[in-house]
Amino acid sequence: MKYLLAYDLGTGGTKASLFDENGKSAASAFVGCQTFFPKNGYHEQRPADWWESVVRSTGQLLEKAGIDPAQIVALAVSGHSLVAVPISRDGKLLAEFVPIWSDSRAKAQADKFFTQVDEERWYMTTGNGFPAPLYSIFKIMWYRDECPEIYKNAAKFIGTKDYINFKMTGVLCTDRSYASGSGVYSLWEERYLEEYIAASGVDPEKLPEIFPSTHVVGKILPKAAAELGLSPETLVCAGGVDNACMALGAACMEDGDAYTSLGTSGWIAVSSSAPIVNFEKKPYVFAHCVPGQYVSATCIFSAGNSFRWLRDVLYTEDEGSYAEMDKLAASSPAGANGLLFIPTLAGGSGLDKSPNAKGGYAGLELKHTRADMIRSTLEGICLNLRMALDVLAEQTAVGGSMLIVGGGGKSAFWRQLFADIYEKEILESNAGQDAGSLGAAAVAAVDVGLWKDFGEIKSVCQVKKRIEPVAENVRQYRKILPVFEKISEMYSDIGDMISAL
């Protein structure tokens, strides 16, 4: 039996997964990574921690699987987006901490860029619907302005999964899906645009070369192979950005296929043969790992991390499992006794009136219990994602069923909330929490010829359970949704006022 190794490098950590040549999961292991928040708007991680998490999760995985590493013929990495890691000409990492996807420090750089570039035309070309300062080119501009020595000495600025590929192979490159989050990539022409690079003032040589997701970057270097416990004959594929890999792993690769990702952040994505762009609503778009397809999405920046925050606040370190919290939340009625939670704890996304949006509880009274707080938090995340769903549904047809993937999809209680608030049948598949990993594995499988094409993912992903909306709850949430939308808008206004202090 031949095997494929996949890494899902998320904000919360790295999941290493082993799949056999038929796409069946053989083993997995997870190692967490810490995010640091040194200043307002600064969200940082250490690339050294990414590599350590890859090494440790690989060791745990091989111990669980008990296979000969020589049976692993190829690997690919899915990585969180919009990161710019500076690498010197002699291959050294130039910054211990780097801004991750949600870091918004580069506002001044984005503002300067748009004095030369029409923002609407830029969005319609790139599909970059997140707040502009989050995109990689503006972070590179920030390095140039604030850390000139790092900028000067950097040969390339690369993304998360590209850094792991570099550590494994010594090759500096990226793929189309990750490059489409650079801020200077045309979805329509599938290349960097000289006009936007010139407007940024960034040296174009500092941007990595672009390949298809299925491109073989190289074999693992002997030193990296020894550290990982893998064969140096293992092929490393270019891989893809997390949105694209997760879409592929969820079998979303044809027009109208959609899924909800419920991890640290949350998003709803739909696959289509043309980018879904609308300047007013700003869906964000990435090139798909599948040639000729795009992944268009709307998102919230704080989903699972809102729930984790609540657990950390309400419970001591030895208390408060998520299962116990689900059980307590179920004891509160739909609507949490009039308590509403606005989950913009990590700032506003394209859905919000302002990127300065703050989160909080509305309608809080002395009567409210811990159970109400937990339920309202889960409901608030669902309601915010329902707003995201409505934006996409205005632009394109979205099917009557919705697949939930990511860590939050483990909760049966939360899946029922999504059914009631989305007013859709919620699907649970065997891909489940492995969608990002399975997508990366599919890239490797096609790359090395184990699969003839990406269509084989359809036979790998199978629906295990279907959850129907509860009519009584649907009626209640229909009344709550417009109130939630109004309060969300107010929290953006409040955030602007706080930011001006």
Side-chain angles (χ1 to χ4, degrees):
M1 177 69 72
K2 295 177 181 177
Y3 289 90
L4 301 158
L5 180 56
Y7 296 99
D8 185 0
L9 180 56
T11 312
T14 297
K15 182 177 183 179
S17 299
L18 190 68
F19 297 89
D20 69 21
E21 58 197 75
N22 300 311
K24 182 179 179 181
S25 177
S28 65
F30 177 83
V31 173
C33 285
Q34 185 176 357
T35 303
F36 302 88
F37 307 94
K39 297 180 184 178
N40 184 38
Y42 282 50
H43 299 182
E44 301 179 338
Q45 289 188 342
R46 299 174 67 244
D49 291 343
W50 304 338
W51 179 247
E52 181 184 1
S53 69
V54 167
V55 171
R56 289 175 55 199
S57 60
T58 305
Q60 294 173 18
L61 178 78
L62 293 174
E63 186 176 352
K64 285 182 182 180
I67 66 163
D68 181 351
Q71 292 177 265
I72 301 173
V73 295
L75 66 84
V77 186
S78 163
H80 56 91
S81 61
L82 317 187
V83 175
V85 182
I87 303 294
S88 71
R89 288 168 182 78
D90 57 356
K92 292 179 181 177
L93 175 66
L94 294 175
E96 180 181 3
F97 295 89
V98 300
I100 62 169
W101 64 272
S102 55
D103 188 288
S104 59
R105 72 183 69 181
K107 183 178 185 305
Q109 287 71 29
D111 289 346
K112 181 179 179 181
F113 179 86
F114 290 118
T115 62
Q116 303 178 64
V117 173
D118 179 76
E119 187 169 2
E120 180 173 355
R121 179 168 163 262
W122 172 81
Y123 166 73
M124 298 299 286
T125 301
T126 64
N128 291 166
F130 284 139
L134 275 57
Y135 286 93
S136 304
I137 195 67
F138 304 113
K139 290 167 180 169
I140 299 173
M141 292 169 66
W142 180 89
Y143 275 111
R144 182 197 61 203
D145 297 344
E146 302 296 331
C147 304
E149 284 301 307
I150 290 178
Y151 176 83
K152 176 183 175 183
N153 293 324
K156 300 289 182 185
F157 287 87
I158 58 175
T160 52
K161 57 93 181 176
D162 302 318
Y163 177 74
I164 300 304
N165 289 347
F166 169 69
K167 289 285 289 184
M168 290 182 178
T169 66
V171 178
L172 292 166
C173 68
T174 192
D175 79 296
R176 291 185 187 124
S177 68
Y178 208 98
S180 63
S182 66
V184 291
Y185 181 91
S186 169
L187 293 170
W188 310 94
E189 298 182 40
E190 297 186 334
R191 64 180 181 88
Y192 295 131
L193 287 181
E194 294 83 357
E195 172 192 354
Y196 293 157
I197 298 174
S200 75
V202 167
D203 179 354
E205 292 300 315
K206 293 185 184 292
L207 301 178
E209 187 175 1
I210 303 170
F211 292 101
S213 295
T214 51
H215 172 74
V216 174
V217 176
K219 293 181 179 179
I220 299 181
L221 296 170
K223 180 182 177 182
E227 198 171 353
L228 291 162
L230 298 175
S231 165
E233 295 300 311
T234 308
L235 298 176
V236 178
C237 308
V241 75
D242 52 3
N243 295 61
C245 286
M246 191 168 284
L248 179 56
C252 291
M253 50 180 292
E254 298 177 356
D255 287 14
D257 291 342
Y259 73 95
T260 293
S261 171
L262 198 56
T264 299
S265 58
W267 67 78
I268 300 172
V270 61
S271 181
S272 59
S273 54
I276 298 170
V277 286
N278 177 287
F279 184 63
E280 181 183 353
K281 298 296 185 179
K282 290 190 179 68
Y284 63 94
V285 188
F286 287 96
H288 207 312
C289 295
V290 179
Q293 285 286 309
Y294 300 86
V295 182
S296 304
T298 47
C299 79
I300 63 175
F301 291 161
S302 190
N305 53 359
S306 287
F307 198 32
R308 183 169 60 247
W309 166 83
L310 183 67
R311 183 196 63 183
D312 294 344
V313 167
L314 292 183
Y315 296 94
T316 66
E317 190 173 333
D318 298 329
E319 300 177 314
S321 71
Y322 290 126
E324 291 168 347
M325 293 173 74
D326 281 357
K327 185 176 180 181
L328 196 55
S331 68
S332 175
N337 288 310
L339 184 62
L340 294 176
F341 173 71
I342 309 301
T344 41
L345 301 189
S349 70
L351 293 173
D352 298 289
K353 184 178 178 182
S354 169
N356 297 321
K358 306 299 181 187
Y361 293 91
L364 187 63
E365 300 180 55
L366 292 173
K367 70 178 182 180
H368 285 123
T369 65
R370 180 181 290 188
D372 295 330
M373 292 186 71
I374 296 171
R375 183 173 188 122
S376 69
T377 300
L378 294 171
E379 289 179 340
I381 295 165
C382 293
L383 287 161
N384 210 178
L385 283 167
R386 167 61 192 268
M387 290 172 60
L389 173 62
D390 289 346
V391 167
L392 272 184
E394 290 172 2
Q395 307 298 318
T396 189
V398 179
S401 299
M402 178 69 69
L403 179 67
I404 304 288
V405 301
K410 295 178 184 177
S411 167
F413 178 74
W414 214 351
R415 292 196 300 271
Q416 185 63 60
L417 286 182
F418 273 106
D420 297 340
I421 292 172
Y422 278 7
E423 301 183 36
K424 286 183 179 293
E425 178 187 58
I426 297 299
L427 306 180
E428 180 185 352
S429 83
N430 60 332
Q433 285 68 59
D434 288 333
S437 303
L438 181 57
V443 167
V446 171
D447 197 355
V448 298
L450 289 179
W451 294 6
K452 64 178 181 178
D453 56 40
F454 287 116
E456 297 198 29
I457 198 76
K458 294 281 188 180
S459 62
V460 174
C461 295
Q462 298 177 349
V463 174
K464 296 186 342 187
K465 193 172 183 180
R466 300 175 184 270
I467 300 172
E468 298 292 338
V470 175
E472 181 181 350
N473 293 342
V474 168
R475 288 191 291 270
Q476 177 72 352
Y477 291 124
R478 281 180 181 173
K479 292 187 289 184
I480 291 171
L481 181 61
V483 180
F484 179 89
E485 291 173 336
K486 181 64 176 178
I487 295 171
S488 293
E489 183 177 347
M490 293 172 65
Y491 269 69
S492 283
D493 294 336
I494 290 169
D496 284 339
M497 289 188 286
I498 291 173
S499 296
L501 292 176

